[in-house]
Each structure stands twice: as structure tokens, then as C-alpha cells.
Amino acid sequence: MDSCVIPLRHGGLSLVQTTDFFYPLVEDPYMMGRIACANVLSDLYAMGITECDNMLMLLSVSQSMSEEEREKVTPLMVKGFRDAAEEGGTAVTGGQTVVNPWIIIGGVATVVCQPNEFIMPDSAVVGDVLVLTKPLGTQVAVNAHQWLDNPERWNKVKMVVSREEVELAYQEAMFNMATLNRTAAGLMHTFNAHAATDITGFGILGHSQNLAKQQRNEVSFVIHNLPIIAKMAAVSKASGRFGLLQGTSAETSGGLLICLPREQAARFCSEIKSSKYGEGHQAWIVGIVEKGNRTARIIDKPRVIEVLPRGATAAVLAPDSSNASSEPSS
């Protein structure tokens, strides 16, 4: 499961805890801190938990950085992490900092819950609908952005994407990775979610397969639609890397994949976009739950939903992506 759930000796309460850490993947240290914190909290949110009692921060500073670089970069990463924790209604009370060959940032999130505060990820039923709350393609966008300065790599993809489109995709990926899944976690209760997970390092297919294995009923997940940051499907294909259309491309701090009753899914997608939850929340219907042997698959030719970056106008992107939509589609 995304978090461990440990029954406590007292009063029917459970301790729910998760940990995560990784290496920097964006250039901005402050945003890196925010992304790391969002990624840690996401494992709680995947269980429908919206509150976190305490966070610890894990930080390693690279020994190859100069003293000046350490003094500038480290406080920004710490501030980003703390700001995201505050946005999640929690606080960082401790942690550990070491010197290491690489920069690493992550943390631990802990909460004590009553049983009604979390949703065990094991109750999907035939007829449920799969909803995804962030577009795919973060790893592709981050890598494509790095390739702007690597002619050998850039030459492989420049026929399918412009520098401006890569820059917009990178900004969109960064914004999405730093967005908390807290709103989606709260709406899981409102709309009677049966199971959920967050999409991270194993890609949408890997995490779908893992979630399918946890189910008590004999069900399988079938994914028909892939919402992808605009142009990143083409970049994935042209580069011959990632496996984005096969669902194996890693994501960082991705969205929640939620099993919802069919009659609730469209309402969930429309509710999460409401301005009362702030800017930037999205959701798409991506698949169905059918009778099966606890597996997950993506159909041979999934529909790619090109998700326009928020900084883009349709004119900036090539005409073939002007049908992009953040509307749910089944």
C-alpha cells in the first residue's frame, strides 16, 4: 500500500505513516522542495487522508557543491518543503541533514486516524470508473527540458516539438508536481471512492497493476484514455525512450488514480475543477473496472488527451493539439 496502517493500542486509532525521497529533477531549489513535500504527502492522500499530524524532512547536501552554493540552495529547498507542508495544514518538526555525493530531498509524514478518516484501497467493484487527477508526462517534460542544451538528444525530438513548447511543458510539469493531492483526497469521501493510489515511479500501468492486486473482489482495470501534457506523447515516441503511451514512464508527484462508482465519476471531475478549491485542479475519466483476475492493462490504441499547459494559448501549440481538453471523457 502507499502508506503503512498500524492499529494502536488506544481507542481504535491507527497510525498511518509514509516516507519518500529522491534526487532533484527541476532547476529551481524552492520548487524542488515543494515537489518533494507534495510527493511525501501524496501517499497519505491516496488513502483519502486529508490531515497530517507531523512531518520530518530528509536532506542530503552534495559534497561537490561549493560553500556558497550550499548556503544559497539549501535554505530554498527547505523553504519550499516547509511552505508545501504548511499548505497541507501540517508542519515540519525535525529530520536529518547529511553531506553526500548527491543532493537528496524527501521526508516522512505521520498521522493518527480514526477508521472513518481513511479509505483502504481494496474495494473496487465491477462497473467502477477510473479517474486520474493530474496529467501524465512529467518525466518526459523534465528530460526534454534538459535536452534543450544537449544537441545530440535535441536533434531526435526537434521535428515534433519546439523549444517554446518544451519550456511550457516543463513549467506545467513543475506546477503539477508541486500541487498537493489534498483536494482529491477530500473528494474521495464525498463521492464514495472504493480504492485509490498515486501515480509515481512505476508509471500509470505499474501503479494500476499494484492497485488491482490489492482488490478483494475479482476485478481488473482497463485504461482507455491517457491525459498527457501537450506534445509529450510525441516526444516520448520520437525519442524512443520512456514508454509514456505504454504507461511505463515514471511520474513524480503524479495524480491520484481513483476507483469511483460510475454515477459519481463525472461529478467528481466537475467538482474538483470548481474555483472554490483554487486554481489548477483537473481530473479525467481514464478507464473502467471489469470482472477479471486482479490485473491492469492499457488498450492497444489508447486515446491521448493533449493537456494544454496553463501558460499556453492554442496558437502557441501546433494546430493538431487544438482539440486538447481537460474535460472528462469516457
Side-chain angles (χ1 to χ4, degrees), residues 299-314:
I299 61 168
D300 283 345
K301 291 188 176 170
R303 176 177 169 232
V304 172
I305 302 168
E306 297 266 340
V307 180
L308 281 177
R310 272 152 275 221
T313 60

Side-chain angles (χ1 to χ4, degrees), residues 2 4 27 46 58 70 86 205 277 291:
D2 291 304
C4 64
E27 293 168 354
L58 305 172
R70 283 185 204 177
E86 191 178 321
L205 182 60
Y277 302 116
K291 190 163 175 53

Side-chain angles (χ1 to χ4, degrees), residues 1 115 166 266 283:
M1 293 196 306
V166 167

